[in-house]
Amino acid sequence: MLLTEGCGMRGSEGKAVAKEVPADTIPEADFTPNAAAMADSILKTMTLEEKAAQVLIPALYASDDFFTLRAVGQYAREGIGGIMLLKGDTASAKQISDSLRLLSRVRPFVAIDAEWGLGMRLKDAPRYPFNSELGAEATEEGMFGNGATVGAQCRELGIDMVLGPVVDVATRDSYMGKRSYGDNPERVSDLAIAYAKGLESQGVISVAKHFPGHGAAVGDSHRGKPVIYRNLHELDSIDLYPFRRYIAEGLTAVMVGHLGVAAVDPELRPAAVSAPVIRDLLRGDLGFEGLVLTDAMGMEGSERSGAVEALKAGTDVVLAPVNTRKELEAIVAAVRAGELDEAELDRHVYRILLCKMLREA
């Protein structure tokens, strides 16, 4: 199978690069007893502070300047769970990921937004067309090939988590239009899942976003909290459909957005800190047992919610906190005060460690 012109990787001259990718390279999910035993063993050795650090993934620009590399060293000493790379270049991304892994006692996650390839964040990485630019000729085979190629590029740079695919069902003229695969739930599911499988065929975690669906939202959650007023039937048949498909395929992680969802949480809490959205809908109704991440907590849509609120709602990973040190201290204080059950924190950390140990193989 070959990447098509409509969804193939673009080389330096803007031409599509064809790549043969066998479909049978997709691995089955393998939560092996060895990985589980390793995760459990590590968890038992961790202090409360180390466990609190594991759930936090701060954001850093992919730059090799002194201040960034100093922050990497500090995060490693604190046992932070990983980093999210922002804009920069590939050489710096590689240096940051290598340094963090070398200095960390527990393998860290290195995550990046690569919804349509690393060129979305790294200026010298190969570029792909926006998701909205994929025409009718885009195929599942081609998207799997794209995902596998991007996954291989990630592995070369030490990146093991892609904050994508976007599975939001959106019209082209909406806020999510450029980032969405379209307004047909089945088409969105087919292309997004193929891309996710391609990533995971290379050992890179895919993260479907933005649960429970950003497509119907009017507005940008970076600037405020959009509210979705669809009824439960509409949510189920449109917005939740791709997430159900993604979960049924056994893929790894889901990001929860900073969205008010009136039909699920009448109090309109941001979904990333809403127990009705995460515990009841995502975990309960949809049966998702994988890794749950917040969207970046510095976004205005979070309404200044904190890591403790996110963990209590059922989130495993708190992405891009505004102040990592303060959030670490807040988690520790909440456990010591009985506000957050340490057994609950352990469940989040165990799920994180299990994902990491599976990638040590």
Side-chain angles (χ1 to χ4, degrees):
M1 63 192 70
L2 299 178
L3 299 184
T4 67
E5 177 69 26
C7 59
M9 186 174 73
R10 306 280 169 173
S12 59
E13 298 179 356
K15 296 179 180 178
V17 178
K19 182 176 179 64
E20 189 89 18
V21 182
D24 60 5
T25 59
I26 308 174
E28 294 294 329
D30 183 22
F31 291 86
T32 65
N34 286 344
M38 290 170 63
D40 185 61
S41 177
I42 293 171
L43 179 61
K44 288 177 178 176
T45 69
M46 299 178 86
T47 66
L48 174 58
E49 289 77 8
E50 288 173 329
K51 289 187 285 191
Q54 274 296 300
V55 306
L56 300 172
I57 295 186
L60 283 174
Y61 284 96
S63 169
D64 62 358
D65 65 273
F66 169 78
F67 296 102
T68 299
L69 295 178
R70 184 175 67 177
V72 169
Q74 180 65 30
Y75 290 148
R77 287 190 293 274
E78 293 177 338
I80 292 297
I83 56 169
M84 170 188 171
L85 293 172
L86 302 175
K87 290 183 178 181
D89 60 82
T90 55
S92 296
K94 174 68 171 169
Q95 184 173 359
I96 289 170
S97 62
D98 286 350
S99 298
L100 187 64
R101 286 210 169 87
L102 180 65
L103 297 171
S104 297
R105 181 174 81 88
V106 177
R107 175 192 175 119
F109 285 136
V110 179
I112 194 168
D113 271 320
E115 298 167 8
W116 51 82
L118 289 172
M120 179 176 170
R121 288 289 180 260
L122 304 180
K123 62 185 178 183
D124 55 340
R127 298 190 63 83
Y128 287 70
F130 298 138
N131 292 338
S132 62
E133 295 175 346
L134 298 175
E137 70 275 17
T139 65
E140 292 176 67
E141 291 80 7
M143 291 306 299
F144 176 87
N146 277 12
T149 303
V150 172
Q153 293 164 357
C154 286
R155 290 294 293 268
E156 290 178 6
L157 300 180
I159 297 167
D160 57 8
M161 177 183 287
V162 164
L163 303 174
V166 169
V167 300
D168 300 315
V169 181
T171 59
R172 187 175 289 253
D173 61 351
S174 68
Y175 167 70
M176 291 301 298
K178 182 174 76 172
R179 300 165 63 187
S180 171
Y181 290 105
D183 59 4
N184 183 303
E186 292 189 9
R187 175 75 167 164
V188 169
S189 302
D190 290 344
L191 297 182
I193 289 170
Y195 184 67
K197 285 184 175 181
L199 291 170
E200 301 215 1
S201 75
Q202 303 301 308
V204 175
I205 294 170
S206 67
V207 183
K209 60 187 188 184
H210 306 77
F211 190 83
H214 204 304
V218 177
D220 177 359
S221 53
H222 291 86
R223 300 177 181 276
K225 182 188 69 181
V227 177
I228 297 172
Y229 290 103
R230 278 182 169 160
N231 61 41
L232 288 173
H233 175 73
E234 291 170 326
L235 285 172
D236 190 61
S237 61
I238 300 172
D239 302 283
L240 296 178
Y241 179 84
F243 288 102
R244 288 187 187 277
R245 291 268 308 273
Y246 179 91
I247 292 167
E249 292 289 345
L251 292 160
T252 303
V254 168
M255 176 189 288
V256 184
H258 297 308
L259 308 162
V261 189
V264 180
D265 186 349
E267 295 186 23
L268 296 181
R269 285 165 287 210
V273 295
S274 168
V277 171
I278 300 173
R279 292 194 186 280
D280 298 343
L281 180 59
L282 180 56
R283 294 289 193 202
D285 293 348
L286 272 64
F288 183 58
E289 298 179 354
L291 204 63
V292 175
L293 294 78
T294 68
D295 205 343
M297 295 299 284
M299 295 164 59
E300 292 297 323
S302 73
E303 297 184 331
R304 300 186 181 181
S305 302
V308 173
E309 293 171 86
L311 295 170
K312 290 169 67 176
T315 294
D316 299 309
V317 174
V318 179
L319 194 65
V322 174
N323 187 314
T324 303
R325 163 49 55 182
K326 286 185 177 180
E327 291 289 33
L328 196 161
E329 293 172 351
I331 296 168
V332 171
V335 172
R336 289 179 174 159
E339 180 186 352
L340 176 65
D341 187 351
E342 188 167 1
E344 182 176 359
L345 177 61
D346 286 352
R347 284 191 290 273
H348 297 307
V349 176
Y350 175 79
R351 194 175 284 117
I352 291 166
L353 293 174
L354 180 59
C355 285
K356 292 180 175 182
M357 294 307 102
L358 286 169
R359 280 152 186 83
E360 291 287 356

